[in-house]
Amino acid sequence: MSDEGQMMASDWVDETPSLRSLDAATKTLLRDSVVRKQIPRGAVLFRPGDQCVHFPLIVSGSVRVQRVTESGREIVLYRVGANETCVLTTASLLSDDAYAAEGVAETDVIAYVVPADRFNALMNTSEGFRGLVFEGYGKRLATLMSRIEEIVCTRINVRLAERLLALRGAGDKIAATQQALAADLGTAREVVGRTLKAFERCGWIKLSRGGAEIVNLAALRSLCDAQRD
């Protein structure tokens, strides 16, 4: 690794909250092992059937992990952001199994990647690193369980209203296609389309090509609040 790359890795290790408590030997191994990657938006990081060859530690950006069904429907499983780890990557490295889903850079991403052999060495020798990995693994599993519960137990109109509120931008505009919304919610595009049309008939939103505008913010919030009650 070049002096510049070494310094970038060193700064990153010291400045990442989850790594500050690691022992000096582990930090040194990380600094000597990692490779800095700049990943452009839209790049595919892994596909079903790929073998995992490194453990990425994301410092900025977001990676969308999704499954594509036999019918071609995309279902977003979760997203990995800064200081988070990917449960499928961890599982693949620990079990030596291939990926069962696809990872796509949702934004430009900067990550430091640890080669598989160094990852295994750290897992064997560093209690701190091992704890960090399993803590991230446990949190992600809990998130997945909550997502399954949400899909099974929460009505689609409520989940769609919550997603619209989460995506609300300047001027109450929403820049998301029906296909993207369907993937986020784990349902069919036709279901999202029907529900959006129902919201529009109620005067809650105004649909446009490739997006929508929230017209009655209070009504969407009221729908979500009623579900929580």
Side-chain angles (χ1 to χ4, degrees), residues 39-203:
I39 305 163
R41 177 181 179 181
V44 177
L45 282 72
F46 53 83
R47 293 181 173 87
D50 287 351
Q51 290 296 134
C52 184
V53 296
H54 54 239
F55 182 75
L57 294 156
I58 295 175
V59 294
S60 69
S62 174
V63 175
R64 183 177 70 252
V65 180
Q66 60 190 26
R67 284 289 300 268
V68 180
T69 67
E70 292 184 359
S71 62
R73 182 193 304 174
E74 293 180 356
I75 300 175
V76 176
L77 301 176
Y78 56 88
R79 290 175 169 85
V80 185
N83 300 316
E84 296 180 334
T85 57
C86 174
V87 65
L88 287 181
T89 295
T90 302
S92 180
L93 286 169
L94 293 176
S95 65
D96 200 29
D97 286 337
Y99 278 107
E102 180 181 62
V104 180
E106 199 163 42
T107 65
D108 291 341
V109 172
I110 296 177
Y112 289 92
V113 298
V114 183
D117 60 337
R118 292 301 183 96
F119 171 84
N120 290 328
L122 284 164
M123 290 293 287
N124 288 330
T125 61
S126 173
E127 181 179 352
F129 184 81
R130 191 163 56 245
L132 180 151
V133 170
F134 283 126
E135 180 182 6
Y137 190 87
K139 286 181 177 178
R140 185 60 67 189
L141 281 180
T143 300
L144 282 172
M145 293 301 293
S146 296
R147 177 156 174 75
I148 292 170
E149 181 179 2
E150 178 185 89
I151 291 173
V152 172
C153 300
T154 306
R155 300 193 312 273
I156 185 61
N157 61 338
V158 176
R159 292 197 288 126
L160 180 55
E162 290 175 340
R163 188 60 184 155
L164 294 177
L165 292 173
L167 293 173
R168 181 169 62 100
D172 288 338
K173 302 287 187 180
I174 298 162
T177 65
Q178 292 184 16
Q179 182 61 50
L181 290 169
D184 276 338
L185 299 175
T187 189
R189 185 187 62 79
E190 293 78 10
V191 174
V192 168
R194 288 196 298 269
T195 309
L196 287 173
K197 284 290 187 182
F199 286 175
E200 187 174 47
R201 287 194 298 272
C202 291

Side-chain angles (χ1 to χ4, degrees), residues 8-19:
M8 287 189 299
S10 177
D11 291 344
W12 165 74
V13 170
D14 289 334
E15 293 172 6
T16 301
S18 59
L19 304 180

